[in-house]
Amino acid sequence: MNKHTIAYNSGDEPSAFIMPGMPVVLAGLMLIFGQGDGGVVAFRVLMAALQAFSIYLIFMAANQLFNSRAAIIASIATALYLPDYFSSGAILSETMFRTLFILLICFSLLALRKQETRYYIISAAIVGLACYFKPHAVLFPVVWFILWLVQKISWKIKVKYTAVISLTLILLLSPWWIRNYVTFDKFIPFTQSAGNPMLLGALINNKAPSKAFFDTHLEYEGISENLFTGSDAAQAETAQKIVSFGFKNQPLKYLKWYTIDKVFGLYAAPYYWKTVFGVNIWIAGIYHVVFMLFGAAGLLITLKRAFRQKDIAYLFLLLSLAYFTLIYIPFVAFNRYGYPNVFLFFMSAGFFIDWAIAKYQSTSVKNNVTANL
């Protein structure tokens, strides 16, 4: 705001290390409420408002996917989820991105159900806005394309929607592209910081690779700190070397790391780095695990119905979760990055609890009928 540039670890020089979404939001609030505590408090109030609004959005999405009872259960469970309260106070992008993701689910469901251009434009616009906070959202339209194939939509319509979505994304992202080209004299679609997260993601449990790796790659001189030297591209190359060496020499260990361990890192523990209302991590953790297990059970039922009944809505839910899970596999994966996806588990948990209640009621009715006979 003061220097009229976006800089990150670059002094006064412009940087393309991070996307501009958070800097623009923070600068806008500080322009109105001041650069001291006022701007920070305003940001936290905005995040709290978005979290409250998200409960309504979750109800709308779950109601479209399942029914009103499942939606009410998911909404109440979300309202009691303490990591949401923590996230609203953190000066990070998770709450903003999560809100956009829930909106994306709502409008995508409308687009897939009604097949109207306006809903695809809105959905694409949400994807574009989400990219200004987390650029990995950009490939989400692939999910729509897969579902178009399942729905057997004509190629004419597919081409039309693809053109509309592409144009919307180009219009929304072009200011960032122009800024980067003018500033750095080259096309930078998003950031120049993918190498470091990729390198961190290649290190199993944040530990340096084996001595055999350093014996093979003498350029690092046997020093783990040397892995992080050089440009972003150099760190990405180092990550590729570690992964290639690991899968060649310890395939099972690295296969487990890039499948089970990464998913576990995203979802096993809550994004709860500081206590809220005096509730410790263990209580918040138990609540998290219970609803994640309920959610997993609900996802299994939706998976079964998605293939048996070819239910597009259920398949969309599963593909959305799969997309925003798999996109993190090559990079560092921990609970902060998994947090924006947790609401999908809570919606599925609402569905599972509703399904269990319906099963119980059905069994009770049958037993009563049998007893009366």
Side-chain angles (χ1 to χ4, degrees):
M1 183 170 62
N2 297 326
K3 300 289 185 178
H4 304 290
T5 188
I6 296 177
Y8 189 90
N9 289 338
S10 58
D12 291 336
E13 296 300 315
S15 166
F17 190 84
I18 60 173
M19 292 299 288
M22 277 292 287
V24 168
V25 171
L26 284 167
L29 290 170
M30 289 182 175
L31 186 66
I32 299 170
F33 298 100
Q35 298 183 36
D37 291 341
V40 174
V41 170
F43 178 83
R44 286 174 168 154
V45 170
L46 174 61
M47 295 303 103
L50 290 177
Q51 290 285 17
F53 179 53
S54 292
I55 295 173
Y56 168 74
L57 293 178
I58 286 171
F59 174 84
M60 295 298 294
N63 194 33
Q64 286 191 71
L65 280 163
F66 309 117
N67 57 52
S68 59
R69 185 166 66 180
I72 290 172
I73 294 169
S75 300
I76 293 172
T78 300
L80 298 174
Y81 188 55
L82 290 177
D84 287 356
Y85 295 81
F86 161 75
S87 182
S88 66
I91 314 298
L92 294 168
S93 62
E94 270 58 46
T95 292
M96 188 74 71
F97 179 77
R98 173 180 179 266
T99 305
L100 290 170
F101 185 17
I102 303 172
L103 273 171
L104 179 59
I105 294 295
C106 292
F107 280 100
S108 293
L109 286 169
L110 286 172
L112 291 166
R113 182 172 291 120
K114 298 191 174 184
Q115 292 299 337
E116 294 180 11
T117 303
R118 57 176 174 165
Y119 291 121
Y120 282 111
I121 292 174
I122 295 171
S123 299
I126 295 170
V127 171
L129 289 174
C131 287
Y132 276 102
F133 295 92
K134 292 184 181 293
H136 61 270
V138 71
L139 295 178
F140 187 81
V142 171
V143 171
W144 301 330
F145 187 82
I146 293 172
L147 294 172
W148 295 341
L149 294 176
V150 175
Q151 290 177 299
K152 297 181 180 179
I153 293 175
S154 69
W155 278 101
K156 181 180 179 181
I157 299 298
K158 287 176 192 157
V159 171
K160 172 188 172 183
Y161 287 157
T162 300
V164 166
I165 292 165
S166 300
L167 181 60
T168 303
L169 288 173
I170 290 170
L171 288 174
L172 275 170
L173 293 172
S174 58
W176 178 242
W177 296 344
I178 294 169
R179 176 262 185 187
N180 289 338
Y181 190 83
V182 170
T183 304
F184 303 106
D185 199 28
K186 62 180 177 180
F187 177 67
I188 302 174
F190 296 108
T191 68
Q192 291 184 306
S193 60
N196 185 264
M198 187 179 293
L199 177 52
L200 289 170
L203 303 177
I204 297 179
N205 296 320
N206 293 320
K207 295 179 180 178
S210 64
K211 183 177 180 298
F213 172 82
F214 288 106
D215 291 340
T216 302
H217 295 278
L218 300 177
E219 63 269 28
Y220 301 109
E221 300 176 350
I223 302 172
S224 58
E225 287 78 8
N226 289 345
L227 298 171
F228 293 89
T229 59
S231 66
D232 184 70
Q235 292 187 43
E237 184 180 352
T238 297
Q240 292 169 6
K241 290 178 182 178
I242 294 172
V243 173
S244 177
F245 183 88
F247 273 103
K248 182 178 179 181
N249 294 276
Q250 297 174 297
L252 293 179
K253 182 178 181 180
Y254 274 80
L255 180 62
K256 178 176 175 288
W257 174 245
Y258 275 94
T259 52
I260 298 171
D261 292 345
K262 293 271 190 171
V263 174
F264 190 84
L266 286 171
Y267 301 121
Y271 174 53
Y272 193 64
W273 296 353
K274 187 176 182 180
T275 59
V276 176
F277 305 132
V279 179
N280 66 44
I281 181 65
W282 295 106
I283 295 175
I286 291 170
Y287 186 90
H288 171 85
V289 170
V290 167
F291 273 91
M292 292 298 281
L293 290 174
F294 284 165
L299 288 169
L300 287 175
I301 297 172
T302 59
L303 177 64
K304 180 180 177 181
R305 293 185 179 182
F307 284 97
R308 281 190 175 182
Q309 303 172 9
K310 296 190 182 300
D311 191 300
I312 293 299
Y314 288 170
L315 188 56
F316 171 69
L317 173 67
L318 294 164
L319 287 175
S320 298
L321 178 60
Y323 174 83
F324 279 110
T325 298
L326 294 174
I327 204 75
Y328 280 116
I329 296 301
F331 306 100
V332 59
F334 63 120
N335 54 10
R336 176 188 162 192
Y337 293 161
Y339 165 74
N341 306 338
V342 168
F343 79 93
L344 295 174
F345 284 92
F346 273 65
M347 289 198 304
S348 296
F351 166 65
F352 174 73
I353 294 170
D354 170 66
W355 173 84
I357 292 172
K359 280 282 186 182
Y360 174 77
Q361 291 173 338
S362 176
T363 302
S364 297
V365 169
K366 286 181 181 179
N367 290 338
N368 289 334
V369 170
T370 302
N372 291 330
L373 291 174

